[in-house]
Amino acid sequence: MKKIFALLICFIPVLIEPLYGQIAGEYEKLFDRVKLLERAKKLSSDQFEGRGPGSKGGKAATAYIAEELKNSGVQPLGESYFQNVGLIGIKPNPTTILKTKNKSGLIQTLAFGQDLVVFTGAQKNRISVNSEIVFVGYGIDAPQYNWNDYKGNQGDFKNKILLMLVNEPSPTAEEPRLFGARNLTYYGRWTYKFEEAARRGAVGAILIHTDESAGYPWSVVKNSAGNWHYEIARQKGDRSPFLKINSWVTYQAAEKMLKGTGLKLEDLIRSAKKRDFKPVRTGVRAKLLLHNLKTDFLSRNVAGMVEGSDPILKNEFVIYTAHWDHLGLGPDDGEGDFIFNGAYDNASGVAALLSIAEVLAKMPPEQRPKRSFLFLFPTAEEQGLIGSEFYIKNPLVPLEKTLADLNLDGINIFGKTKDFTALGMERSDLADFVIGAAAERDLRVEPDRQPEQGFFYRSDHFPFARAGVPSLSFQHGNNFIEPLGEQARRFFLNYREKFYHQQNDEFADWWDVSAMIQESEVALAVGIKLADAGEFPAFKGNDEFAPADRLRRKKR
């Protein structure tokens, strides 16, 4: 009897072990620590020249990602791991100046880089603009919040240059829930503001930057928007509205433009915070001649799949995303470094996703989760989520067969934590899957620490959300189990100010691979739970993306 009991004890772990071979919370040992770190180091090396879309380094980086997928046993969808994305590249002349003239004849000159950055949506080599500037507050028309900065007639904005503030009006004591309270909504994003200005028939829009309102310094704007800018190539017959000039100026430059008009910028900002704000004709005309380098080229999203185990449900997918691109080659930082390596952003996320894909691919087919997985590495995220926007318009698997998108953009390289964040999980049923995975690992799920910065709208999961696919983006916590070393602590505390979109975002020996695996393993666990779920997750009924979700579900 004792022998039988002993044998049963030996077999109990096998009997209670899930089909995919690991007790919940123990996927970590399935990750190859050496490969994960090597992939991050390789992707952020000078060899790939900052992974700029359309560049030699960008092409080499996508080839490397595809090869890693192939070697891991991840299959292509069709004959190739690549989805070609036709792009237009525009680079403004760095000697560009913008001249303004008020009614009294006072002329001001704004210099590219120092005072403004500008690019065109016209996809042409040469752009000429000479138009009146109209201040339109926050540049928002939001019926659900009973807010409209575009009071007046359509003709009041047509062929004008619209000057506006970034973000959105802050809550007040009278309206504590104005817009999203502390949570920035899409109305506060620069992409929305340019889109709305174009819909109004404007020829241009100028956003007033401050470090506080944007959450990052002017150098980030200069490096990101002042270099090559990419867009999906406009097809013949496409009548979508666009702006001839898309621009940011510093606060000081905006004051300079208004000098001699009798208007004070601080007064205009104060008036813009009120519902009764009306657009202000400044009496200033702006003149700009923009010469651009222009190139038409193909970039590419990289994608691979791991098939699920259920003969029917394997036709439904959980998607993971991690953008492969960064800023490529740029100006010298003063110390001879002109490569934007993008190690944390987002070589770390790509390396993590390659490792997640490898773990799933190496599971025996009959022991995998029921549904399939698509691993998508979009291009040109840094230029406005272009690769993922292209994917939404040209999906490799039907959106109505897609359960969710789980995004990785800058994973934990610092040290293991007791907590993490999943941006956007509260919008949908995805919260249940995240909370379940966290509880199994004795981790706390913390809310967005900076909701006013609108990070939910800044990475590749967002186009999926707009299309009605429940989506989230993982962020590591800041409650570290062990104190950080000096270099890790410096990077962690100063990332936004000193490393974000700078040449010094580079791989370093202090990177903690156990922390990288911890976040990767959580993301894997959430995906597995989704792949085995009984029902598709849905956006909550009052969420801004719920209507799109309902339309998508009707196609199922």
Side-chain angles (χ1 to χ4, degrees), residues 411-417 512-520:
I411 71 161
N412 187 3
I413 59 175
F414 307 100
K416 296 182 77 170
T417 62
D512 188 333
V513 69
S514 65
M516 298 174 74
I517 290 176
Q518 183 191 37
E519 185 173 345
S520 302

Side-chain angles (χ1 to χ4, degrees), residues 152-344:
N153 301 312
Q154 181 70 15
D156 296 337
F157 314 107
K158 192 171 183 179
N159 297 323
K160 304 293 194 301
I161 296 173
L162 306 184
L163 179 67
M164 63 188 77
L165 306 173
V166 300
N167 290 3
E168 59 200 13
S170 302
T172 63
E174 295 78 21
E175 294 189 88
R177 299 298 303 171
L178 183 61
F179 285 88
R182 277 192 68 217
N183 298 289
L184 188 74
T185 72
Y186 187 57
Y187 291 110
R189 291 289 292 139
W190 61 269
T191 46
Y192 163 79
K193 294 171 187 284
F194 287 160
E195 291 163 1
E196 187 61 36
R199 286 190 287 266
R200 300 283 170 168
V203 296
I206 300 175
L207 305 185
I208 302 171
H209 170 90
T210 68
D211 292 1
E212 180 182 7
S213 60
Y216 43 77
W218 176 251
S219 61
V220 172
V221 181
K222 185 169 64 174
N223 290 337
S224 301
N227 202 339
W228 281 99
H229 172 76
Y230 305 104
E231 294 180 354
I232 297 174
R234 197 172 293 118
Q235 300 300 308
K236 188 176 181 179
D238 184 351
R239 299 185 179 276
S240 303
F242 60 85
L243 297 174
K244 284 188 175 181
I245 62 169
N246 304 260
S247 180
W248 284 260
V249 296
T250 66
Y251 186 92
Q252 293 75 20
E255 286 185 313
K256 189 176 179 180
M257 287 193 294
L258 296 172
K259 189 174 182 180
T261 64
L263 297 171
K264 290 187 176 181
L265 184 55
E266 60 184 18
D267 293 336
L268 291 176
I269 292 174
R270 193 178 300 113
S271 68
K273 297 178 184 295
K274 300 177 181 179
R275 283 189 184 280
D276 60 358
F277 166 81
K278 293 182 180 179
V280 178
R281 298 184 66 169
T282 66
V284 176
R285 293 190 70 85
K287 185 176 182 180
L288 179 139
L289 180 61
L290 184 63
H291 290 280
N292 305 292
L293 295 176
K294 175 177 171 289
T295 180
D296 299 23
F297 63 96
L298 287 178
S299 186
R300 48 197 188 184
N301 295 334
V302 188
M305 67 165 290
V306 171
E307 192 172 71
S309 61
D310 187 280
I312 297 175
L313 295 180
K314 69 180 183 180
N315 295 313
E316 299 172 348
F317 286 79
V318 173
I319 295 183
Y320 284 94
T321 47
H323 74 90
W324 61 260
D325 66 299
H326 200 57
L327 303 184
L329 304 177
D332 190 320
D333 67 350
E335 298 182 4
D337 190 354
F338 52 88
I339 299 176
F340 289 78
N341 300 85
Y344 178 67

Side-chain angles (χ1 to χ4, degrees), residues 348-452:
S348 67
V350 173
L353 189 47
L354 284 171
S355 295
I356 290 171
E358 183 173 39
V359 168
L360 287 164
K362 291 188 180 304
M363 290 180 180
E366 68 280 2
Q367 294 184 9
R368 291 175 187 160
K370 296 175 183 178
R371 293 182 177 88
S372 298
F373 294 87
L374 173 66
F375 305 96
L376 178 65
F377 303 85
T379 184
E381 186 267 0
E382 302 290 7
Q383 299 293 328
L385 320 183
I386 293 172
S388 51
E389 288 280 8
F390 183 89
Y391 177 89
I392 292 299
K393 295 176 182 177
N394 307 274
L396 298 175
V397 298
L399 295 181
E400 61 270 22
K401 297 290 186 182
T402 301
L403 278 80
D405 176 61
L406 308 178
N407 186 60
L408 295 166
D409 191 354
I411 71 161
N412 187 3
I413 59 175
F414 307 100
K416 296 182 77 170
T417 62
K418 299 177 183 178
D419 60 340
F420 71 96
T421 297
L423 295 177
M425 73 173 198
E426 73 285 350
R427 294 173 172 269
S428 71
D429 298 333
L430 292 181
D432 298 334
F433 299 92
V434 173
I435 291 169
E440 292 168 351
R441 288 152 182 79
D442 196 25
L443 291 170
R444 291 195 308 275
V445 184
E446 297 289 349
D448 185 359
R449 294 185 294 276
Q450 294 178 294
E452 69 280 1

Side-chain angles (χ1 to χ4, degrees), residues 14 21 48 84 104 111 115 121 127-128 150 205 209 254 271 279 311 356 362 379 510 519 538 544 549:
V14 177
F48 294 140
N84 287 331
S104 64
D115 301 308
I127 293 295
S128 178
Y150 289 96
H209 170 90
S271 68
I356 290 171
K362 291 188 180 304
T379 184
W510 55 260
E519 185 173 345
E544 61 184 306
D549 190 3

